[in-house]
Amino acid sequence: MSRLVLRAASFSSSHSTASTASYSLSRLSCSRRPLAATASSLPRAQPSTRSYSFFSSKKSAIDTKSLQQTKSATTGNTTSATAAATPAFDNANMTQPKSEEEWRAVLNPEQFRILRQKGTEMAYTGEYTKNKDQGVYRCAGCQTPLYTSSTKFDACGWCSFYDAVPGAVGRHPDPDGRRVEIVCNACGGHLGHVFKGEGYGNPTDERHCVNSISLKFQPGDV
């Protein structure tokens, strides 16, 4: 009889424990649903666009400023090319044209690189950059007189002239439109570039920036 009582008590206890556990799980499940519902019902935070807008506006301002500067520089160069006495270069007007093979035969490799391939010598290394002697600067390729010592001045790491021998130097914009190239009108040899409005106070307000290796100096009165 006692065994029956103990087994009944054990059964009752197990049943009670299972009921309690089931009840607890049920309460836990019920308590999670409102939380999930509450979370899903909350409005979602929208990502802030303030930072993006700030940098976007900054980039826009920088791009606009850069565009304006480039446009101003290009306009200035184009204006100087049109207004200056130096004529625009035209291949058809060359008086001393040569083939590439002929130029290689008469020029050394560095002269060919600069005169025919539009290279640039390193700043402050040119033979005539600091030359103060009187004389005439001729094209190193065809010997045509291009500049005189009377228009030479100190400005940078290359030879600087504010004017050329009339009709001797032609000019045209670089392919990117940002600078104006100057060449020997007789043979098309690359000399350098011309810049305007830099404030050097010379009569033309221009600076012909010329590679020494493109020139051959002939001393003498001018």
Side-chain angles (χ1 to χ4, degrees), residues 97-107 112 116-117:
K98 286 183 174 65
S99 67
E100 181 174 322
E101 291 73 18
E102 289 174 323
W103 281 120
R104 287 186 184 276
V106 298
L107 300 175
F112 185 84
R116 309 316 308 176
Q117 297 180 324

Side-chain angles (χ1 to χ4, degrees), residues 57-150:
S57 61
K58 289 283 285 184
K59 184 178 185 300
S60 177
I62 293 172
D63 289 347
T64 301
K65 182 177 180 182
S66 176
L67 180 62
Q68 290 174 342
Q69 290 175 340
T70 301
K71 184 177 180 181
S72 175
T74 304
T75 303
N77 286 338
T78 304
T79 302
S80 66
T82 304
T86 306
F89 175 70
D90 186 348
N91 284 320
N93 295 330
M94 287 193 301
T95 58
Q96 301 192 44
K98 286 183 174 65
S99 67
E100 181 174 322
E101 291 73 18
E102 289 174 323
W103 281 120
R104 287 186 184 276
V106 298
L107 300 175
N108 64 45
E110 187 66 1
Q111 287 176 326
F112 185 84
R113 182 182 74 85
I114 292 175
L115 280 167
R116 309 316 308 176
Q117 297 180 324
K118 304 183 186 301
T120 302
E121 65 188 1
M122 292 182 62
Y124 298 102
T125 63
E127 180 181 0
Y128 305 128
T129 302
K130 297 299 182 182
N131 184 31
K132 305 291 186 182
D133 296 340
Q134 286 191 339
V136 175
Y137 292 86
R138 297 176 176 269
C139 172
C142 67
Q143 306 306 312
T144 298
L146 302 176
Y147 299 98
T148 66
S149 57
S150 61

Side-chain angles (χ1 to χ4, degrees), residues 150-153 161-163 196 199-207:
S150 61
T151 62
K152 191 173 186 293
F153 66 105
F161 303 89
Y162 63 79
D163 205 357
K196 189 173 182 66
Y200 283 106
N202 58 55
T204 63
D205 197 23
E206 287 190 344
R207 174 172 63 92

